[in-house]
Amino acid sequence: YRYSGDAEARGSFLVQPERLVRVEPAALRIRSGSLMVGEAPVARHFSGTIECSVPHLDVKNTFGVEVFHSISTKLDLELADGDARFLNVYGAPKHEPTWSGPMTMAVKARINRGVIEPGSLVIAALPRLELDWPDVTLTTQLGLSSGRLRPANELDVNATLQNVKLASRHAARSVEGPTARQASIALTLEGVDLAKPLELAGAELATEARLANLAWFNGFFSEKSRLRLSGAADATVKLARKPGGGGDG
């Protein structure tokens, strides 16, 4: 990640290699600038504040994610005019979809020695998201929010997709792919400590899909296959996983 722009840093730090790291209450005020990953813009317009404190990090006796227990931070950030292409640095192009499309994010979070405090929230809007696999492209409008919204030790993740469309490189251009006017996904994750694994406590998924022409699927069959589909279909899907395990649909 590379930031370029107008910012002001205040605070102090002490580093004793392989022994100690200490950051006195420090703050970075970002007035304006851009945040990039390689050539992909996370935000062409980036502003906000980052506050951080590391009272005492014992380097030799701190391992892996335990480092979060030494860090407290407060984030208030606006990231506008970005591109979801920056997410591709976390995937393997041969096996994962590639992301693209305009994106805006806002982050308001407080983390106390690695624990996410209530009121912390990340919001993202992707009005024209495109996911590309080798044979299929999905386009949609995506709204996403994630954070600790209640005092309980749980994180909520909510996603709403609108105008979902699937296109296949095998299907004729005249054959419309599956569509969904709207879909929603709600996850509840147990755990608010960044140094500990999160567990899925509950999940809900709901969508109404339209398959205007089932012949769209024929392109995925072998040329030698005698199976061919035709006609149209509508589908309503509702799934839920209960906190205690199991679920219904």
Side-chain angles (χ1 to χ4, degrees), residues 123-127 129 140-145 158-162 183 185:
I123 299 175
L126 296 94
L129 173 63
T140 186
Q141 301 168 13
L142 173 63
L144 180 68
S145 65
N158 296 286
T160 300
L161 297 88
Q162 294 181 322
I185 303 171

Side-chain angles (χ1 to χ4, degrees), residues 203-225:
E204 294 183 2
L205 180 148
T207 185
E208 294 183 2
R210 169 70 174 162
L211 292 83
N213 192 339
L214 292 172
W216 184 84
F217 291 98
N218 292 336
F220 295 95
F221 301 145
S222 166
E223 295 182 358
K224 297 180 180 180
S225 173

Side-chain angles (χ1 to χ4, degrees), residues 49-135:
T49 57
I50 300 173
E51 299 178 12
C52 182
S53 174
V54 184
H56 184 95
L57 173 57
D58 184 349
V59 177
K60 286 188 175 181
N61 297 308
T62 303
F63 303 94
V65 292
E66 292 178 2
V67 69
F68 286 116
H69 286 163
S70 300
I71 300 173
S72 296
T73 184
K74 181 180 179 182
L75 307 173
D76 189 351
L77 302 171
E78 298 286 341
L79 301 96
D81 196 14
D83 194 306
R85 287 187 294 119
F86 88 92
L87 294 170
N88 295 327
V89 302
Y90 297 104
K94 293 183 179 180
H95 306 288
E96 308 262 354
T98 56
W99 298 65
S100 63
M103 181 182 65
T104 297
M105 288 193 297
V107 181
K108 292 184 180 295
R110 185 187 296 271
I111 300 172
N112 185 17
R113 292 187 175 270
V115 176
I116 302 172
E117 295 194 346
S120 298
L121 184 65
V122 178
I123 299 175
L126 296 94
R128 294 191 305 277
L129 173 63
E130 185 172 296
L131 297 177
D132 279 315
W133 286 268
D135 299 320

